[in-house]
Amino acid sequence: MLENLGAAAGANLLAPAVLFFALGAIAGWLKSDLTIPDQVAKSLALYLMLCIGFKGGVEARASGLTPDLLSAGALGLCLSFAAPFAAYAALRAFGALDRVTAAATAAHYGSVSVVTFAAGSEYLRAIGVEFGGYMAAVLALMETPAILAALLIAGSRGGAAGARIKPTLWREVFLNGAAVVLVGSFIIGAITNEPGRERLDLFVGALFQGALCLFLLDMGLVASRRLAAAPKLNWGLIGFALVWPLLSAAAALAASMALNLSLGDASLMAVLAASASYIAAPAAMRIALPNADAGVYLSLSLGVTFPFNLLVGIPLYHAIARLMYG
Amino acid sequence: MLENLGAAAGANLLAPAVLFFALGAIAGWLKSDLTIPDQVAKSLALYLMLCIGFKGGVEARASGLTPDLLSAGALGLCLSFAAPFAAYAALRAFGALDRVTAAATAAHYGSVSVVTFAAGSEYLRAIGVEFGGYMAAVLALMETPAILAALLIAGSRGGAAGARIKPTLWREVFLNGAAVVLVGSFIIGAITNEPGRERLDLFVGALFQGALCLFLLDMGLVASRRLAAAPKLNWGLIGFALVWPLLSAAAALAASMALNLSLGDASLMAVLAASASYIAAPAAMRIALPNADAGVYLSLSLGVTFPFNLLVGIPLYHAIARLMYG
Amino acid sequence: MLENLGAAAGANLLAPAVLFFALGAIAGWLKSDLTIPDQVAKSLALYLMLCIGFKGGVEARASGLTPDLLSAGALGLCLSFAAPFAAYAALRAFGALDRVTAAATAAHYGSVSVVTFAAGSEYLRAIGVEFGGYMAAVLALMETPAILAALLIAGSRGGAAGARIKPTLWREVFLNGAAVVLVGSFIIGAITNEPGRERLDLFVGALFQGALCLFLLDMGLVASRRLAAAPKLNWGLIGFALVWPLLSAAAALAASMALNLSLGDASLMAVLAASASYIAAPAAMRIALPNADAGVYLSLSLGVTFPFNLLVGIPLYHAIARLMYG
Amino acid sequence: MDLVTRTKLEIFVEAHAVNDLERMLTRVGFKGCSVFEGVEGAGSHGAWRQTGVDEAGMRLIITIGSEASARAALTWLEDYFKSYPGVVAVSEVKVLRAERF
Amino acid sequence: MDLVTRTKLEIFVEAHAVNDLERMLTRVGFKGCSVFEGVEGAGSHGAWRQTGVDEAGMRLIITIGSEASARAALTWLEDYFKSYPGVVAVSEVKVLRAERF
Amino acid sequence: MDLVTRTKLEIFVEAHAVNDLERMLTRVGFKGCSVFEGVEGAGSHGAWRQTGVDEAGMRLIITIGSEASARAALTWLEDYFKSYPGVVAVSEVKVLRAERF
Ligand SMILES: Nc1ncnc2c1ncn2[C@@H]1O[C@H](COP(=O)(O)O)[C@@H](O)[C@H]1O
Ligand SMILES: Nc1ncnc2c1ncn2[C@@H]1O[C@H](COP(=O)(O)O)[C@@H](O)[C@H]1O
Ligand SMILES: Nc1ncnc2c1ncn2[C@@H]1O[C@H](COP(=O)(O)O)[C@@H](O)[C@H]1O
Ligand code: NA
Ligand code: NA
Ligand code: NA
């Protein structure tokens, strides 16, 4: 068992995508001038979303409206909405953050990271573990409840700017570009089904792997530069960013078992719960809680938790799932 | 027959590319902040052009210099040059446009849309109807005559700026980036032939489908945003943008039959005649007829005619062609 | 023999990538407004580097640490370091350049061009000549020694700015983005080996051809525009840019034979020696020798030597190699 | 040639605010504006950089108009900057065709 | 340190005009310029946005030179703006190494 | 509304110098800056254009601060421009919240 775990972790660490992340991180750390131009990085992100949504839609259509789909969706919603309350308490207690920054950071940890999900599902595919295509929809469902929870926690901001900014915020929360592409592609995948998939097979399949490598290279650069520019992180915060994913994943696994989700679905649910948002949540927080310190929440989610999940978390959560599923 | 028509239309509407256009249009309409970064969109457009040209060149070389090629080319040139005169009259009569804006808009309707052509040929391929590779060359031939016709209609602008801007204009008309890539790739395809095609098979083939989806997503966004920002369109203009393509397609079909073009060639000729330019023509009009109202011509060609052709026109013109070809 | 040479040259000139370069050059010369947006061009360059490095790494791992690898690497280092001294002397004698511009130009000719290497290896692949995957590592090794040699030649610049700019310079020389991706991908390829290659097969394989076409289209545009904007080139300089590659390639071939490198390795070594840098070297020279005239070194390396190598040099060097290897 | 003095605002704000700002500028009387995208920067809210992954970046809105419009915009901005990051710089410029501004 | 007053032009024009403008600026005596790309904007000819599909967008040309050069450029621009969209703003700046401008 | 006069620097430099410049600006007392990327330009060192292949291009750094900071920055720049291409333009602007600059 432990041997398998070691081998699985090794396989993950040797996956090209993970190695490209490491390359980016090292290049950023050495202050290389390497950068993926931002418009291309943004497009890669949209493209990854498109692939994940589309493939998920095709697979979800193939398997139909199973009860698993419903329980996974409901579980995802609950986890995403509940997590910020616990995370907020922990951040206040151990991280010594002010109220607003703690709420904003909690939103990130309740919400999810698309690329962590992508890496997780690639990992499961590589080791031959099946999971439901609807997990892409669960991913989409988990993006926003955490943001709403954080807003509840922080309380309505009031003040003159409040009224003015509301519509922008709701648009950002529900209609941010990434979410629209993810959900839209899921629906398109479900509609076009196999004929559509055949046409786009290569585009959303073989190409995806390479694009993920390129994007992770960029993530490595951004993460390590972010971390270098963040002197404010105390050990309490770093501890939170490493321990929270573990606890969160464990809770997700337990709940998944209770709901009879499959091994693959449970593993992905753990990955989602453990992951922290770095696209949707920061964008919303910048609008809704502008007094929160972006240096804190971005450094934690992007600089600490993302690498941890990518390098260690994904194989670990799956290994724990295996143990639990016997 | 009608049943077939319905099925064909359904097949078109369910094609992933068309659905991605719809997704973009909905996202734009809901004021989502989704955007495909402009440099990437520009590159996608060049890439689509490259594929269309290259594949056309390879196929044209394979079939040789047939009489069909010559008649299709001659017909395309005539349609593109003649259309603006009729469109100008209609726009003045029903759209209540000033002289200059009417001329500029007429240029758009005489010229052609590359992406409409791409969607049309993908549609024919999907339902298994053959067409000549030289239609890509016809597409290129039809871009500019309409622009020249519009300049004739508007009369030489005179004034001090006129002389200064002339060389820029001719460069824009004959050497705009899109046209150069289209024509150049056609020639390269014809030169390298099968060996070249094999090397680029995947690049211009399977990848093309996905890139078209992404580009149509962007087109949807741009079209719906353009339409939202265009309060000036009267019903006469909207009527023109919907009826003109039908009449234009019918004329093209009749002429194609008279010239004994194949069913596929005739269908594509109708698509080309019905389509309206939104790249080459606006660029030229901005230089040559700066007093024309870009809000009018872009909203019509991009916001009304393009979606109409994509969603309804393409299968419809082909269905009519089938009826005519018995 | 000569017949074969003619056929080989013809095959090279008819390769799609070379034709796209010609298309770009013609478009630039005709002052077309065609451009590949710069962020996309930059990303294409990084992508080509990634592919070259990754494939090289996988192949190098497969063949193991052969003595050929070591001799090729050592030869590359020597050529790159020695070349600037000879080039400097020639540029001073025949090109009438000032000391600093001559040194900066010499750096370009000692260093190497990644795209020339890519075109060279595609050419060898197309005609079925084998070469070692480690040649990608040799490419990486040859980038910087020439830059250091040029700095030695020019002498330390002194002055107040000198001290300040040093760290930036060393970072640029050893950690420029291109080099990092090339070397990093080589290592990643060597680590992940076949399983990694399978996953990325399409991404670094079939797609590469197309991306190379697109990038060469851009290179054609940039090269011809650069040349048009460079009135300062005298015949001595143009002669240098055409004769130096030949002499350099001949020297590289002779040394490769002496070291018992294979035919393919020797041909690529000649291509590397003949090629002139237009990414790493200009970036470093702009920092280290800001008084050198960028108009001279960029016009020569990008506007004269690059096209010469691409169109004539590659098949020629290989033909000479064949003659020498009997 | 008639050069007339007008007021130029250079407003640095986060991308999400650009639409609101454009609406406000129109309301207070500006007849045009131009928006540019920054690549990196720093201020009292820390440093940022366009990356395509996490950071939204600042936009620079340049708008030229009457002094009265500028005054109204500044009042709005003063309030806006209480909550959000950003900076505004006011200066005088001369323009042709003053009736357009 | 010698700071000398020179005239700065900020010229907003469509992309297709940039080459002609650069030639003109050189002719009237400007020894340099820098061009930036806008992402969106609005004016009397309506609103625009860089999209990659249909709209060409505005460029901002910044050029610093002598008052005489500026005057000549403004005469040219006054004529140009009769036909084409665009705006120019004139202001004074101080520069180092005045002989370069 | 309290508008206070401050000094604005517009600095055109090559991309490789931006980091050094930002550090210098902080050192001499500027509390913020914004960086923009040019698409093309020309000066005494010749013309350039963003291409993605060979040319690094110029950046425009805009920074607003006290006159004293500006003077210190100009001294640094005067020296820098002895070796490297670039231009700086100094002008006065009015800002809100003067304590921030
Ligand atoms: N002194 C300054 N000069 C130029 N730009 C500034 C300055 N201060 C702030 N900015 C810009 O405005 C943004 C927000 O400023 P702040 O609210 O101070 O964080 C910064 O990220 C910069 O892009
Ligand atoms: N008042 C203004 N302030 C700043 N930029 C402007 C202004 N008016 C026009 N512009 C810019 O110049 C372009 C052309 O202006 P116009 O000719 O008025 O349509 C606009 O699209 C804007 O990008
Ligand atoms: N007079 C000027 N006006 C505006 N920008 C300039 C001017 N002179 C130089 N520049 C910019 O600064 C860069 C370097 O200038 P130089 O050192 O004169 O080559 C040029 O490439 C331009 O982008
Ligand atoms: Na989470
Ligand atoms: Na048409
Ligand atoms: Na060399």
Side-chain angles (χ1 to χ4, degrees):
Chain A
M1 195 72 233
L2 262 181
E3 216 164 72
N4 284 348
L5 175 54
N12 183 54
L13 287 175
L14 297 183
V18 174
L19 289 168
F20 275 106
F21 177 81
L23 175 60
I26 293 170
W29 180 67
L30 292 174
K31 301 204 187 313
S32 160
D33 69 352
L34 175 62
T35 34
I36 311 288
D38 66 280
Q39 293 205 5
V40 173
K42 256 175 230 164
S43 306
L44 279 176
L46 289 179
Y47 163 77
L48 295 179
M49 233 70 86
L50 188 156
C51 294
I52 292 171
F54 186 81
K55 287 187 285 191
V58 172
E59 285 166 30
R61 163 80 172 269
S63 59
L65 200 79
T66 64
D68 281 4
L69 187 163
L70 295 177
S71 16
L75 175 56
L77 280 175
C78 294
L79 285 174
S80 172
F81 189 80
F85 294 92
Y88 176 77
L91 285 161
R92 293 283 278 169
F94 306 113
L97 289 183
D98 62 282
R99 216 172 49 80
V100 176
T101 304
T105 307
H108 288 67
Y109 280 86
S111 187
V112 290
S113 149
V114 179
V115 176
T116 312
F117 177 82
S121 42
E122 287 301 309
Y123 175 71
L124 293 183
R125 253 185 221 123
I127 62 172
V129 174
E130 299 215 331
F131 57 88
Y134 49 77
M135 289 306 289
V138 176
L139 163 73
L141 286 174
M142 290 180 75
E143 263 207 328
T144 48
I147 294 170
L148 304 181
L151 296 185
L152 283 181
I153 294 170
S156 75
R157 233 165 14 85
R164 195 178 55 224
I165 221 69
K166 283 268 159 62
T168 310
L169 174 61
W170 297 128
R171 246 196 334 262
E172 189 61 53
V173 168
F174 290 109
L175 291 172
N176 74 76
V180 166
V181 167
L182 183 64
V183 174
S185 305
F186 187 90
I187 297 173
I188 292 176
I191 294 177
T192 60
N193 207 0
E194 274 310 314
R197 203 234 182 85
E198 261 160 50
R199 282 210 221 171
L200 293 184
D201 196 20
L202 192 125
F203 187 69
V204 303
L207 202 61
F208 179 80
Q209 308 263 357
L212 189 61
C213 288
L214 218 51
F215 193 72
L216 279 169
L217 177 64
D218 194 41
M219 296 276 301
L221 286 161
V222 172
S224 70
R225 280 178 190 147
R226 210 2 66 229
L227 216 50
K232 286 180 248 175
L233 299 186
N234 57 45
W235 287 107
L237 289 174
I238 294 177
F240 171 84
L242 296 172
V243 174
W244 172 268
L246 287 171
L247 299 179
S248 210
L253 286 175
S256 300
M257 264 196 98
L259 288 168
N260 274 321
L261 296 183
S262 73
L263 172 64
D265 289 5
S267 302
L268 279 184
M269 190 65 83
V271 168
L272 285 172
S275 76
S277 168
Y278 51 83
I279 296 185
M285 291 304 115
R286 231 174 258 123
I287 298 173
L289 303 177
N291 297 321
D293 186 342
V296 169
Y297 55 66
L298 280 177
S299 302
L300 286 184
S301 80
L302 200 58
V304 183
T305 302
F306 179 78
F308 174 75
N309 278 328
L310 187 70
L311 303 177
V312 180
I314 290 172
L316 182 62
Y317 309 147
H318 178 62
I320 300 177
R322 265 193 192 286
L323 282 176
M324 288 172 65
Y325 276 73
Chain B
M1 195 71 232
L2 262 181
E3 217 164 71
N4 284 347
L5 175 55
N12 182 54
L13 288 175
L14 296 183
V18 174
L19 290 168
F20 275 105
F21 177 81
L23 175 59
I26 293 170
W29 180 66
L30 292 173
K31 301 205 187 313
S32 161
D33 69 352
L34 175 61
T35 33
I36 310 288
D38 65 281
Q39 292 204 5
V40 173
K42 255 175 232 163
S43 306
L44 278 175
L46 289 178
Y47 164 77
L48 295 179
M49 232 72 85
L50 187 157
C51 294
I52 292 171
F54 186 81
K55 286 188 285 191
V58 172
E59 286 166 30
R61 163 80 172 270
S63 59
L65 200 80
T66 64
D68 280 4
L69 188 163
L70 295 177
S71 15
L75 175 56
L77 280 175
C78 294
L79 285 174
S80 173
F81 189 81
F85 293 92
Y88 176 78
L91 284 161
R92 294 282 278 167
F94 305 111
L97 289 183
D98 63 281
R99 214 171 51 79
V100 175
T101 305
T105 307
H108 288 68
Y109 280 85
S111 187
V112 290
S113 149
V114 179
V115 175
T116 312
F117 177 82
S121 41
E122 287 301 308
Y123 176 71
L124 293 184
R125 254 186 219 123
I127 61 173
V129 175
E130 298 213 333
F131 56 88
Y134 48 78
M135 289 307 289
V138 175
L139 163 74
L141 286 174
M142 290 180 75
E143 262 207 327
T144 50
I147 294 171
L148 304 181
L151 296 185
L152 284 180
I153 294 169
S156 75
R157 230 163 19 81
R164 196 180 54 226
I165 221 67
K166 284 269 158 65
T168 310
L169 174 62
W170 297 128
R171 245 194 338 260
E172 189 61 54
V173 168
F174 289 110
L175 290 172
N176 74 78
V180 166
V181 167
L182 184 64
V183 174
S185 304
F186 187 90
I187 296 173
I188 292 176
I191 294 177
T192 60
N193 207 0
E194 274 310 312
R197 204 235 183 86
E198 259 160 53
R199 283 210 220 171
L200 293 183
D201 196 20
L202 192 127
F203 187 70
V204 303
L207 202 61
F208 179 80
Q209 306 264 355
L212 188 60
C213 288
L214 219 51
F215 192 72
L216 279 169
L217 178 64
D218 194 42
M219 296 276 303
L221 286 161
V222 172
S224 71
R225 281 179 188 144
R226 215 350 73 228
L227 216 51
K232 287 181 246 173
L233 298 186
N234 58 46
W235 286 108
L237 288 174
I238 294 177
F240 171 84
L242 295 172
V243 174
W244 171 268
L246 286 170
L247 299 179
S248 210
L253 285 175
S256 300
M257 265 195 96
L259 287 168
N260 274 321
L261 296 184
S262 74
L263 172 63
D265 289 5
S267 302
L268 278 184
M269 190 64 83
V271 168
L272 285 172
S275 77
S277 169
Y278 52 84
I279 295 185
M285 291 304 116
R286 230 175 258 122
I287 299 173
L289 304 177
N291 297 320
D293 186 342
V296 168
Y297 56 66
L298 280 178
S299 302
L300 286 184
S301 78
L302 199 57
V304 183
T305 303
F306 178 78
F308 174 74
N309 278 328
L310 187 69
L311 302 177
V312 180
I314 290 171
L316 183 61
Y317 309 147
H318 178 62
I320 301 177
R322 264 193 194 288
L323 283 175
M324 288 171 66
Y325 276 73
Chain C
M1 194 75 232
L2 263 180
E3 217 164 71
N4 283 348
L5 176 55
N12 183 54
L13 287 175
L14 297 184
V18 175
L19 289 168
F20 275 105
F21 177 81
L23 175 58
I26 294 170
W29 180 67
L30 291 174
K31 300 203 188 313
S32 161
D33 69 351
L34 175 61
T35 34
I36 311 289
D38 66 281
Q39 292 204 6
V40 173
K42 256 175 230 163
S43 306
L44 278 176
L46 289 179
Y47 164 77
L48 296 179
M49 232 72 85
L50 188 156
C51 294
I52 292 171
F54 186 82
K55 286 187 286 192
V58 172
E59 286 165 30
R61 163 81 172 268
S63 59
L65 200 80
T66 65
D68 282 3
L69 188 162
L70 295 178
S71 16
L75 175 57
L77 279 176
C78 294
L79 285 174
S80 173
F81 189 80
F85 293 93
Y88 176 78
L91 285 161
R92 292 283 278 168
F94 305 112
L97 289 184
D98 62 281
R99 215 172 50 80
V100 175
T101 304
T105 308
H108 288 68
Y109 280 86
S111 187
V112 290
S113 149
V114 179
V115 176
T116 311
F117 177 82
S121 41
E122 287 302 308
Y123 175 72
L124 293 184
R125 254 186 218 120
I127 61 172
V129 174
E130 299 215 332
F131 57 89
Y134 49 78
M135 289 307 289
V138 176
L139 162 73
L141 286 174
M142 290 180 74
E143 263 206 327
T144 48
I147 294 171
L148 303 181
L151 296 185
L152 283 180
I153 295 170
S156 75
R157 232 164 16 82
R164 197 180 52 226
I165 221 68
K166 284 269 156 64
T168 310
L169 174 61
W170 297 127
R171 251 202 325 269
E172 189 62 53
V173 168
F174 290 109
L175 290 172
N176 74 77
V180 166
V181 168
L182 184 63
V183 174
S185 305
F186 187 89
I187 296 173
I188 292 176
I191 295 176
T192 61
N193 206 0
E194 273 310 312
R197 203 233 183 86
E198 260 160 51
R199 282 210 220 170
L200 292 185
D201 196 21
L202 192 126
F203 187 68
V204 302
L207 202 60
F208 180 80
Q209 307 264 356
L212 189 60
C213 289
L214 220 50
F215 192 72
L216 279 169
L217 178 63
D218 194 41
M219 294 278 300
L221 286 162
V222 171
S224 70
R225 281 179 189 146
R226 212 355 71 227
L227 216 50
K232 285 182 247 175
L233 298 186
N234 58 45
W235 286 107
L237 289 175
I238 295 177
F240 171 83
L242 295 172
V243 174
W244 171 267
L246 286 171
L247 298 180
S248 209
L253 286 175
S256 300
M257 264 196 97
L259 288 168
N260 274 320
L261 296 184
S262 75
L263 173 65
D265 288 5
S267 302
L268 278 184
M269 191 63 83
V271 168
L272 285 172
S275 76
S277 169
Y278 52 84
I279 296 186
M285 291 306 115
R286 231 175 258 123
I287 298 173
L289 303 177
N291 297 321
D293 186 342
V296 169
Y297 56 66
L298 280 177
S299 302
L300 286 184
S301 80
L302 199 57
V304 183
T305 302
F306 179 78
F308 174 74
N309 279 328
L310 187 69
L311 303 177
V312 180
I314 290 172
L316 183 61
Y317 310 146
H318 179 63
I320 300 176
R322 265 193 193 287
L323 282 176
M324 288 172 65
Y325 276 72
Chain D
M1 191 169 47
D2 251 17
L3 284 177
V4 181
T5 301
R6 287 286 176 271
T7 304
K8 179 175 81 166
L9 299 185
E10 293 170 296
I11 312 172
F12 301 86
V13 284
E14 287 175 314
H16 64 74
V18 168
N19 276 340
D20 287 320
L21 253 151
E22 285 175 345
R23 259 195 302 275
M24 181 274 290
L25 292 174
T26 308
R27 212 167 46 234
V28 302
F30 284 95
K31 295 187 188 143
C33 71
S34 306
V35 183
F36 298 83
E37 199 171 311
V39 291
E40 62 182 79
S44 57
H45 291 83
W48 60 271
R49 196 175 186 181
Q50 280 276 10
T51 63
V53 173
D54 65 316
E55 301 184 87
M58 287 278 151
R59 298 281 185 281
L60 166 60
I61 307 180
I62 301 181
T63 187
I64 300 165
S66 70
E67 216 199 303
S69 302
R71 200 178 302 273
L74 286 168
T75 309
W76 192 96
L77 283 168
E78 199 166 29
D79 185 43
Y80 174 85
F81 289 144
K82 280 182 193 140
S83 319
Y84 293 98
V87 159
V88 61
V90 189
S91 56
E92 292 201 335
V93 295
K94 294 214 153 50
V95 296
L96 298 168
R97 304 172 298 164
E99 70 286 359
R100 288 202 159 207
F101 293 91
Chain E
M1 189 170 46
D2 252 18
L3 283 177
V4 181
T5 301
R6 287 285 176 274
T7 304
K8 179 174 81 166
L9 299 185
E10 293 170 297
I11 313 172
F12 300 87
V13 284
E14 288 175 314
H16 64 74
V18 169
N19 276 341
D20 287 320
L21 253 151
E22 285 176 344
R23 257 194 302 276
M24 181 273 289
L25 291 174
T26 308
R27 211 165 48 232
V28 302
F30 284 95
K31 296 186 189 146
C33 71
S34 305
V35 184
F36 298 84
E37 199 171 313
V39 290
E40 62 183 78
S44 57
H45 291 82
W48 59 272
R49 197 176 184 181
Q50 280 276 10
T51 63
V53 174
D54 65 317
E55 301 183 88
M58 286 280 151
R59 298 281 185 282
L60 166 59
I61 307 180
I62 301 182
T63 186
I64 300 165
S66 70
E67 218 200 301
S69 302
R71 201 179 302 274
L74 286 169
T75 309
W76 192 95
L77 282 168
E78 198 167 29
D79 185 42
Y80 174 84
F81 288 144
K82 280 183 193 139
S83 318
Y84 293 96
V87 159
V88 60
V90 189
S91 57
E92 292 200 337
V93 293
K94 295 214 152 49
V95 296
L96 298 168
R97 304 173 297 164
E99 70 286 358
R100 288 202 159 207
F101 293 90
Chain F
M1 191 169 48
D2 252 19
L3 284 177
V4 181
T5 300
R6 287 285 176 272
T7 303
K8 178 175 82 167
L9 299 185
E10 294 170 296
I11 313 172
F12 301 87
V13 285
E14 288 175 313
H16 65 73
V18 169
N19 276 340
D20 287 321
L21 253 152
E22 286 176 344
R23 258 195 302 275
M24 181 274 288
L25 292 173
T26 308
R27 213 167 46 233
V28 302
F30 284 95
K31 295 186 188 146
C33 71
S34 305
V35 184
F36 298 84
E37 198 171 313
V39 291
E40 61 182 78
S44 57
H45 292 83
W48 59 273
R49 196 176 185 181
Q50 280 275 12
T51 63
V53 174
D54 65 317
E55 300 183 89
M58 287 278 152
R59 297 282 184 281
L60 166 59
I61 307 179
I62 302 182
T63 187
I64 300 166
S66 70
E67 217 200 302
S69 302
R71 199 179 303 273
L74 286 168
T75 308
W76 193 95
L77 282 168
E78 198 166 29
D79 184 42
Y80 175 85
F81 289 144
K82 279 183 194 141
S83 319
Y84 293 97
V87 159
V88 60
V90 189
S91 56
E92 291 200 337
V93 294
K94 294 213 154 48
V95 296
L96 299 168
R97 304 172 300 163
E99 70 285 359
R100 288 202 158 206
F101 294 91

